[in-house]
Amino acid sequence: LTAANDPNSDTSGGAAEQEDAYGWLPLESNPDVLNPFVHKLGLPPNWGFADVWGLDEELLMMVPQPCVAVCLLFPCANIHHKRVAELRARIEGGKCWDPDKAAAGEAQEVPAPVLPTPPDGLFYCQQHDGIGNACGTIASIHAVANAVADDTFALDEAAALGMFVANTYTMDADARGRELQMTRELQVLSDATAAAGETDGAGTHNADDGHFVAFVRKGGVLYELDGTITTEDGLGFPVAWGATTADSFLADAARVIRESFIAKDPNNPNFNVVALCELGT
């Protein structure tokens, strides 16, 4: 599977306009493709992505430990916009976020805000319009950078990601996302990784309707990090899913994936999960 362009973007223009607008090429959700990429970004050689073969307890036990992040690639069409509406409703109580009810002028009761203020050390990058198919790269950055912030391992400071994290550490998500758009070295590495993929559309802008998000643990809370989840005003926000521990993190992320993603399109087989783990020497 490969990652789609920004699911919030309008790509209805002509072919030439779309080619310019798409920007970065989509990555595959495949450890054989992702690991050379993240190692070039400065990840230590004994860490990398591993396949998650299923979300049942028995299959989760096959994932190497420790596991510090999970990346999900999911089909957008029946999921993304519905989830954005639900998540906006969680933090902006009282507004009409259901598109059908809003169009009919129906008032909607929504929950009170439930998202805590994210801790200062959470590394979150907004995905701005115009960057195109960067969600796989952004999910990888979210996974690796938050592990670095927790002192799980150190990045090569001379490598592209080490420099990006250091240069943007004090920025907010909006500014960090705009800086990413201007970081040519990361795009070159990402696009080279995309071209080395194994699917039929590798190295092209054919993303097959897929979108990447990452899950990390910070301050004892499970966070979903998706650079395209924004308020109505266009401000990106991480999504908190409640308490988690190092031991329960993988199972907790799997539960959110089952209940908040797969349940919205249960007959679609195009879900793929990888986990950032210590793989050994």
Side-chain angles (χ1 to χ4, degrees):
L1 293 177
T2 52
N5 56 289
D6 178 353
N8 294 321
S9 296
D10 180 3
T11 57
S12 58
E17 293 176 347
Q18 290 186 31
E19 188 75 12
D20 290 339
Y22 285 162
W24 299 35
L25 296 173
L27 298 184
E28 292 180 15
S29 183
N30 179 348
D32 290 338
V33 174
L34 292 175
N35 284 337
F37 173 55
V38 291
H39 290 142
K40 288 177 183 177
L41 295 181
L43 187 72
N46 60 320
W47 283 82
F49 287 104
D51 282 310
V52 178
W53 296 109
L55 301 178
D56 296 332
E57 181 178 359
E58 295 80 5
L59 293 173
L60 293 178
M61 291 176 64
M62 298 173 62
V63 176
Q65 294 293 332
C67 167
V68 296
V70 170
C71 292
L72 165 69
L73 178 62
F74 68 94
C76 288
N78 296 323
I79 299 175
H80 186 76
H81 292 289
K82 184 184 298 185
R83 292 192 74 250
V84 170
E86 292 173 355
L87 295 171
R88 284 174 173 171
R90 290 178 62 187
I91 66 166
E92 302 191 23
K95 291 189 177 180
C96 296
W97 291 113
D98 182 297
D100 294 330
K101 290 184 178 180
E106 298 178 28
Q108 299 171 62
E109 293 294 330
V110 295
V114 298
L115 298 185
T117 302
D120 290 339
L122 185 71
F123 192 95
Y124 172 62
C125 181
Q126 189 166 341
Q127 181 173 337
H128 292 292
D129 290 347
I131 199 171
N133 300 295
C135 60
T137 301
I138 291 174
S140 299
I141 291 173
H142 281 152
V144 173
N146 280 290
V148 171
D150 283 342
D151 295 323
T152 303
F153 48 73
L155 289 175
D156 180 350
E157 294 182 358
L161 183 55
M163 290 189 291
F164 177 75
V165 170
N167 292 339
T168 64
Y169 184 76
T170 60
M171 294 182 182
D172 63 16
D174 177 270
R176 191 175 286 143
R178 298 193 186 284
E179 184 69 19
L180 180 62
Q181 287 183 293
M182 298 184 290
T183 306
R184 177 65 177 166
E185 185 177 359
L186 282 174
Q187 182 179 1
V188 169
L189 288 171
S190 178
D191 286 354
T193 301
E198 300 176 359
T199 60
D200 291 340
T204 74
H205 290 290
N206 177 16
D208 292 331
D209 187 44
H211 183 62
F212 269 104
V213 300
F215 296 88
V216 302
R217 181 176 65 92
K218 195 70 174 179
V221 175
L222 173 65
Y223 284 97
E224 173 191 338
L225 304 180
D226 178 352
T228 69
I229 297 288
T230 65
T231 65
E232 190 177 42
D233 297 327
L235 299 177
F237 60 90
V239 181
W241 285 106
T244 192
T245 67
D247 291 338
S248 69
F249 165 72
L250 181 59
D252 292 335
R255 174 183 53 80
V256 173
I257 291 170
R258 289 194 303 267
E259 296 177 1
S260 188
F261 291 86
I262 295 175
K264 289 179 169 57
D265 200 358
N267 297 319
N268 195 320
N270 295 318
F271 293 87
N272 188 276
V273 182
V274 294
L276 182 62
C277 310
E278 187 172 14
L279 302 177
T281 57

